[in-house]
Structures are given as C-alpha cells and as structure tokens.
Amino acid sequence: MINKEVPSVAEAVADIFDGATVMIGGFGEAGSPIELIHALIDQGASGLTVVNNNTGSGEVGLAALIKAGRVSKMICSYPRSMNSTVFPELYRSGKIELELVPQGTLAERIRAGGAGIPAFYTATAVGTMLADGKETREFDGKTYIMERGLKADFTLIKCRQADTYGNLIFNKTARNFAPPMAMAGTVTIVQTESVVAPGEMDPEIVVTPGIFVNRVVQVQNPQHESVLVASGVSYP
Amino acid sequence: MINKEVPSVAEAVADIFDGATVMIGGFGEAGSPIELIHALIDQGASGLTVVNNNTGSGEVGLAALIKAGRVSKMICSYPRSMNSTVFPELYRSGKIELELVPQGTLAERIRAGGAGIPAFYTATAVGTMLADGKETREFDGKTYIMERGLKADFTLIKCRQADTYGNLIFNKTARNFAPPMAMAGTVTIVQTESVVAPGEMDPEIVVTPGIFVNRVVQVQNPQHESVLVASGVSYP
Amino acid sequence: MSANDAKIGLSREEMAQRVAMDIPDGSYVNLGIGIPELITRFVPEGREFIYHTENGLLGMGPSPAEGEGEPELINAGKRQVTAIPGASYFQHPDSFAMIRGGHLDLCVLGALQVANNGDLANWSTGGPDAIPAVGGAMDLVAGVKSVFVVTQHCTKHGDPKLVDACTYPLTGPGVVDRIYTDLAVIAVTDEGFQLVELSPGVTFDYVAERTGAPLLPIATPTAS
Amino acid sequence: MSANDAKIGLSREEMAQRVAMDIPDGSYVNLGIGIPELITRFVPEGREFIYHTENGLLGMGPSPAEGEGEPELINAGKRQVTAIPGASYFQHPDSFAMIRGGHLDLCVLGALQVANNGDLANWSTGGPDAIPAVGGAMDLVAGVKSVFVVTQHCTKHGDPKLVDACTYPLTGPGVVDRIYTDLAVIAVTDEGFQLVELSPGVTFDYVAERTGAPLLPIATPTAS
C-alpha cells in the first residue's frame, strides 16, 4: 500500500551517494529545504553537482553544504547574492565549478528533463557569451540556441502541505523551482510543514501530483535562512 | 483599467477572421466551449484551421462548425469518436485536411508555442508513419524526432470561474488543453460559468493567470454536448 | 475446461485478473480501452494501484453509480469515471510529462498485432478508408516504463495477432514487454516470444500453432 | 534647475515617474532592480499596471508594512513584497513561459551600457574576478515585447553609458527600445540614438556631449 512518509530527514536523504546530481528547490530563501540540506551535510555525501537558482547565503543551508566542500559543481543562474560569500571564495580559488544558465532556461531545462524532452530551442542568450559553444538554428527567420533537458539523481524540495500519496501544495513564491525539480529527480524528497491523509487535499488545487514524489518528511516549523543568517548561525 | 469581461459570446468572437487558426479547448465534450463555437458559426468566419484533440460529435459544437464547411484543416489526435460522423464524411470526400498528431505531442507543441519554444525533441512516434518527413536526431544513444511549437490567432476555451483580470480555474477533467491553448493563442477568449472580482479567487489555486487571457464572457449554464447529441439537436 | 473444449482459455475477466497479478504494489498504471479497463476490478489483496488517465486525472476511480456521473469527469475513452481520495487533476502537458518523462510504471494496452521484436500495432489498420486516429497510444508506448499487452491470442478470423512482423502501421517499435492472451502469458525477449505461463488446459503446441512466430518454451531457471 | 546647476537633470524618483508616463493602461510589466522598482510609486491616474516578478508572482504589490513581511513572499530581487487582489502564484517554468512566450508587454531594466544598435549590457562587467550572475535578465530582453532602460546618463566616473558598441558582455543584441536617463528620453531607432525629450533645463548639446554615439535631434513630424 502507498505511504510515502518517512520518519526523519536523516532517513529521507540516507541514500544520496557521492557524485550524485542533486536539485535543490528554492529561489533565495523562499522554498529552500534547509532541514533536508542540513541532513545531507550530516550524511556526508560529497562530489555533488547541485542545481539551484542561487548558491545560498551566510553559512547555513546550501551555503553550508558548499562551505563543507561537498559540492564540486553548481548549475545556477545567480551565484551572487546578499550575504553570499562562501561560493565566491571557492569559485575564485578554482575549487568549485560553475555552469551559469539564464534563469528561464534553467527552469525550462529542468522541466524538459522531467517531461522526457532531451532538448529544445530558445532565443534566450542568443548573441551573448552564454551561447558560446551552443548550437544555433533559425526558425521562421529568427535565431535560437539548443538547450538540453536536465535531470537529477535526487531532488530536495520544501512544501506547505503533502498527503501520504505525495501530492503537494506550496506557499506563495516558495513554489518557484519545486514542481519542475520534482519531475526531474529520479528520487524526489520533500520536507513539508504538514502531512494529511489522501482525500484531505482538494484534487483541483494539487500543484505537484504524487507520481513525481518519492518521500515525504514532516518538518513542522522549518527554519528561515534570513533569520539564521541574521543570527550569525553557522551549520553544523 | 483592466476588465476583460465582454457582454456576449457574439462580441467575444466578432473579430475572428477567415483563414484564422483557432485552438478550441476540450477533450471530447469535457471543456468544449459550445456556446463560443456556436457564436463562431453565427459569425460566419470560414477557411479556419482548427486545433482540438477531436472533431466533435453529433451536429453541435465543433462537429457543427465542421459541418457548416468553415473548417479547411483539423490538427488533432483522435478524429474518430462515438457519434462522430461529420468529420469522417468530409475527410473521405477530400473536403477537409487532417494533420494527425499524437496527443502528448499535440499538448506539448501547444505549450511550446505559448512558451516561446519554436521546436523540441520527443521520442513519441519514432519509428512510426507519423514520423515520416520529420527530422530525427540522437541524444545519449536514443532516437528522437523534432516537433514544432504551435500557435493560434484565437483560442476558445471554457472554464468554471474567471475573475475580471482573466484568472481562471477549471472543472475536473475539463481542464485538459485549456491552459496551454490560453498561452498559445494571440487572442484568448474564455466562456466561464461565473465571473468574480479580482481578489475573490485564491492566488494559490489560479490555474491560468490572467496574462494569458484577453476576453471573458459569462455563460452561466453551458450546454453539454452529450445531452444535445442524445436529444438529436443540430446547430444551427 | 480441457484443450478439447470449444471455449478454451481465459475469459476477458480472467485475462484482466491475470494481468493484475503481475502488477507490483504501489504502481502508477495507465489502462487502455477494452480488456485493460477490467483490471480495476481485480486488484490483488494487499496491493494498491493508482490509475492515470491521460486526459488529466491521477487517481481514477470506478465508474459512477447510474445517474451520478458528470460530463466533465471522464477518462481517456471519454467514459464517465470517478476520482479516488488523493486524486489530482491537471492539464494535458503535465499529464503527458508523466507519460513521456517515464514516470508511469506500466501501461496495459490492447493490440491489433505484436511482433516478436516487441513492435506493437494497435492504432490503425492502415486501410484506405480508415480515419486515422492515434490519441495517446504512441506517447504511452514511447514513455511508460513497462508496456503490457492484453489481447485475444487470435483475431475473430483465427489469424495470429502475435506475428514475426507487423503488417499494420506501428504504434511503436520494440516497445512491448509482455503479452497476456486467453491462451498464455508470453514475454518478449531478445530471442523473441518466450512462453511464461499456459492458461489452464492449454498446451504448448496449441499456443505455438496459433502464434505467427517461433515460441520459446518456458525458461528453466539455471542453477546458481 | 538650470544647465549650470551642479545637480542637473532628473532625480531617481523623477526618472521612474517619467517612465511610468509612457506605460499604457493595462500593461503587464516586469521591473528590474534599482530605479525600475520605484516605478510602482508613480502609476498615472486612471491607469492600472500589473507587475510580474519572475520568481513566480503576477500582481506584485508594494513592500509590506514594517514587520508584516513574509520570507516566502518575495520578488526577483529577493526583497519581501505583497500580492494585490487578483494576483496569482505559479512555478518558474510558467513564469518564464510568460516572458519567453512574449506575453509581457514591457520590462524596465537598469544598464551598464546601451549601444546605439540596441545592444544591452547589464549583467556583468566581465572582470576576471567578477562572479558571473545573470538571473532572468537574458530571458527578459529576449522575450518581452518592449524593453525600456532607465539609468543615469553617465557612470559615476562620468563615462557615457550610451555608446556606439558595448564593451561589457551583452545581455542581448538589439533589444532596447527606449532609454530614460536623468538627462533625456532617447529612442533606439534604425538610425541609432534619437532624442525624444530633454529633461527640464537640459540642452541637446549637453546630452550629445555625454553620449558615446551620435545623437539624432527630436524627430519633426512630417506633413501628412
């Protein structure tokens, strides 16, 4: 019978392996699954390729994972944020690789990966250095570049409510990358503020259907990155 | 100031021109905007290319539009249904053109059109006659075909509730093609069972944001194709 | 029932029940029209399957009680259905992202022909007067992890549906994993059709005679 | 204020207000970080704009009152915002479908440099020690129907930001339609920079001297 709830964040991330590609939801702190990221730090996997719009801030969450030396490559659109110091230092010293992708192209590449689309064309970045080395092609007289779908071994996201089938709803702008990443991850792991039984969520308002979700773990009162950073917290 | 409500279905479809490409929502009768289609029949535009999953049934709605000789080409996945006689007759006599597209490819082509993606690759239909004449390409050792995004001059869809900004929510499996078609239509026209003021719809449950919608017209009690067909109704 | 019986082999319901036995607990399943639809009646004790219908519903339930259906709650065959607790509705691009993206575990489809290389023909007879209509069949066979076919072993005219090459237009090349017929369960392997199980009272020769390509006997487990 | 005044030209607020005057009623608008954000304060009487923020909100409202913000209701600049009645939340692929698909009427962005062929550089100085960070800028200029730039006419060092060729890495080629600076409103035409309007107390020559490419005078309407 189907029940995707697991009892702890530690169990939820236990099988993430060295060298895995891990998509992590969130745009800045909104939607960042801090407790899952901290569990991943505790778990110890390294050599990770991480896909996230940013690179975290302060020394908690994603920034802490990077600081711990577990991330060998970042795929993101904006690795420079307020209070973001960990990534820039490692990047300048050549200790971490960066694949910079325009934000919309990143979102669409992730969706394509989840939707079984190996490649698509976009006008974004045409005529810029981010198109260097990319195949270009004309359609109806306009130039586009080809971009590849992106998949992950694991996806870590946060939501507001889940049911035990893995149906998810989100909170305001914390939704951002979570739905496409849930689709693109071979194993999608969700931290949720509450878990309900199937049938307690209106089927019309489900944002991510349970088929895209493998594990659900309750984190009732998730921490906020900005609060932790303002308090000077450093994880672990 | 923004108010997308128009007073009648006749005004809503008044500017659809001869030779236009028109996307019409619905999978079978679920989501079929019958009243908008009947208004289009009354309006008289002809030589239309129509995009719909099917070709209607009986002699109402889409089937009536086809019977009236207004459609020169259908782009669809399944032009053969229960009570579908109008299209087969015209097709066999060479009076209407058919572009047959697998259902998922059709859905994705429409989404791509609305999302500014001119082309994408899919494994669907590889090795079949529906791949004839299509470009093939290998990615990671698997063969795919290239499919083009699809756009329309007008989109006609039905929903359960709209606000005057054009935000939409749908009813059960009547949602089907409406959201991508709303994106892909230059002018998107919506018939809705009810219209509310901005703010009366929870922003978390909006399925189609108003930016994709141009006109909203209330049809409080839309007719059901199956009921009309069972009653032997023929429009007009 | 014996091999001499006029009505040899499984009924449609028994075929559906036999397929259901091979579906793992927790599977996300898409069912084609016809015999596959009957599978919902035979979920084995202790298992739970979630049914996907490609027009936009995950968690499809049984047909509604007489007079309680809704014209806007239908399945891919355009028949009225219900939604189970824990269901979700979604738009077509999302529904086919589930299919194309390899998220569904299994689809069970009918067939006109299956070839011993796994080719499936189930959408068109290719006749000059036929109205071609494909629906989601090509998306399903291209995207779903496992493809089962459930079908009568032979056509109404007694011709084999399991063949060495499809003569009808293909739905997809090399896509079928297993075939469930009234006479047998047959796996499609690199070596071709391989018998997995005979229906009660059916002999290997009886099935082989009615199969349009070589049929390998049941594989004997090798000592390990 | 005269041309001899040390503080010649428009303030940041006045520049934002000037841009707002040129936005048609009912527009869907994306605002970049910096001066563009100020535009929300200056919606002309009788008009309504709907603001899109690419992280997933259509109908962005003003900043929340002190202490009433939420960490999960932010804009693309990661600042806390509010949502207006009639807003909607959505995922990133949908948000960028709005952008890439040409559904937004206008974006207003800052600039490092704009060339007289419409090239825009606003994401990177290309310095060897710079951390490259592009966000949604390239998506916006490639997809949105009209692109306005609002910027100081010159850098803090007095160098022109309106140039005959960008030396910084491009955000997009030939994408800018209009430029609003402290000194003038300038259209990017097939013939290059064309003056549309001078700020109060500013002369043509004053602007032309501070522009790194030829500046065409205000177009005189031709008799019709």
Side-chain angles (χ1 to χ4, degrees), chain C residues 105-154:
Chain C
D105 298 301
L106 176 67
C107 66
V108 187
L109 301 172
L112 292 167
Q113 292 176 324
V114 185
N116 61 350
N117 61 357
D119 287 2
L120 173 66
N122 81 343
W123 73 283
S124 171
T125 58
D129 218 38
I131 303 294
V134 67
M138 288 185 182
D139 305 282
L140 285 163
V141 300
V144 175
K145 286 179 202 155
S146 294
V147 176
F148 287 2
V149 160
V150 56
T151 178
Q152 303 297 338
H153 206 88
C154 296

Side-chain angles (χ1 to χ4, degrees), chain A residues 1-2 4 111 113-117 151 163 165 167 182-185 198-199 201-204 206 209-213, chain C residues 25-28 46-50 52 58 83-90 93-94 96-98 100-104:
Chain A
M1 311 305 277
I2 302 173
K4 298 183 179 177
R111 180 191 178 275
I117 291 169
K151 297 171 86 163
D163 70 17
Y165 281 175
N167 292 307
M183 290 166 58
M201 200 182 284
D202 179 354
E204 294 280 13
V206 170
I211 193 170
F212 298 125
V213 171
Chain C
D25 183 35
S27 293
Y28 289 93
R47 288 189 227 172
E48 188 175 12
F49 308 151
I50 294 190
H52 170 265
L58 189 68
I84 65 166
S88 56
Y89 299 109
F90 34 80
D94 292 344
F96 284 86
M98 294 176 192
R100 198 190 307 102
H103 302 281
L104 284 162

Side-chain angles (χ1 to χ4, degrees), chain B residues 207-225:
Chain B
V207 173
T208 289
I211 194 170
F212 297 126
V213 171
N214 300 85
R215 298 171 200 159
V216 163
V217 57
Q218 189 177 7
V219 177
Q220 202 168 354
N221 295 302
Q223 301 174 90
H224 292 298
E225 195 175 281

Side-chain angles (χ1 to χ4, degrees), chain A residues 120-123 139-140 144, chain B residues 112-113 116-120 147-150, chain D residues 100:
Chain A
F120 62 91
Y121 293 89
T122 177
F139 293 99
D140 304 326
Y144 297 85
Chain B
I117 292 169
F120 61 91
E147 292 282 357
R148 297 294 308 273
L150 201 53
Chain D
R100 198 189 308 102

Side-chain angles (χ1 to χ4, degrees), chain B residues 1-2 4 114-115 165 167 183, chain D residues 25 28 48 86-87 89 100 103:
Chain B
M1 311 304 275
I2 302 174
K4 298 184 180 177
Y165 280 175
N167 292 307
M183 290 167 58
Chain D
D25 183 35
Y28 289 94
E48 187 176 10
Y89 299 109
R100 198 189 308 102
H103 302 281

Side-chain angles (χ1 to χ4, degrees), chain B residues 72-167:
Chain B
S72 57
K73 180 179 178 181
M74 281 297 313
I75 302 178
C76 70
S77 89
Y78 207 84
R80 193 177 64 203
S81 303
M82 225 177 355
N83 304 313
S84 176
T85 54
V86 168
F87 177 85
E89 275 171 32
L90 285 172
Y91 179 74
R92 289 197 183 98
S93 61
K95 287 182 183 145
I96 192 166
E97 196 186 338
L98 170 66
E99 181 178 342
L100 189 73
V101 183
Q103 194 172 336
T105 297
L106 183 62
E108 191 65 18
R109 287 182 62 192
I110 296 167
R111 180 192 177 274
I117 292 169
F120 61 91
Y121 293 89
T122 176
T124 297
V126 167
T128 78
M129 58 184 275
L130 294 191
D132 287 353
K134 294 200 166 145
E135 220 177 289
T136 64
R137 180 161 175 165
E138 277 204 10
F139 293 98
D140 304 326
K142 190 173 167 184
T143 305
Y144 298 84
I145 55 174
M146 191 177 79
E147 292 282 357
R148 297 294 308 273
L150 201 53
K151 296 170 88 162
D153 299 304
F154 297 89
T155 283
L156 309 181
I157 55 175
K158 180 171 77 167
C159 76
R160 177 158 59 99
Q161 189 178 76
D163 70 17
T164 53
Y165 280 175
N167 292 307

Side-chain angles (χ1 to χ4, degrees), chain D residues 143-206:
Chain D
V144 175
K145 285 179 203 156
S146 294
V147 176
F148 287 1
V149 159
V150 55
T151 178
Q152 303 297 337
H153 206 88
C154 296
T155 68
K156 283 174 192 167
H157 305 102
D159 297 324
K161 295 179 114 185
L162 283 64
V163 295
D164 63 352
C166 294
T167 54
Y168 293 137
L170 291 193
T171 308
V175 296
V176 175
D177 295 295
R178 279 202 167 204
I179 309 160
Y180 296 79
T181 78
D182 48 334
L183 303 184
V185 180
I186 291 169
V188 179
T189 70
D190 290 345
E191 285 74 43
F193 292 134
Q194 176 156 44
L195 184 65
V196 171
E197 185 181 300
L198 291 167
S199 295
V202 176
T203 64
F204 178 86
D205 289 348
Y206 188 90

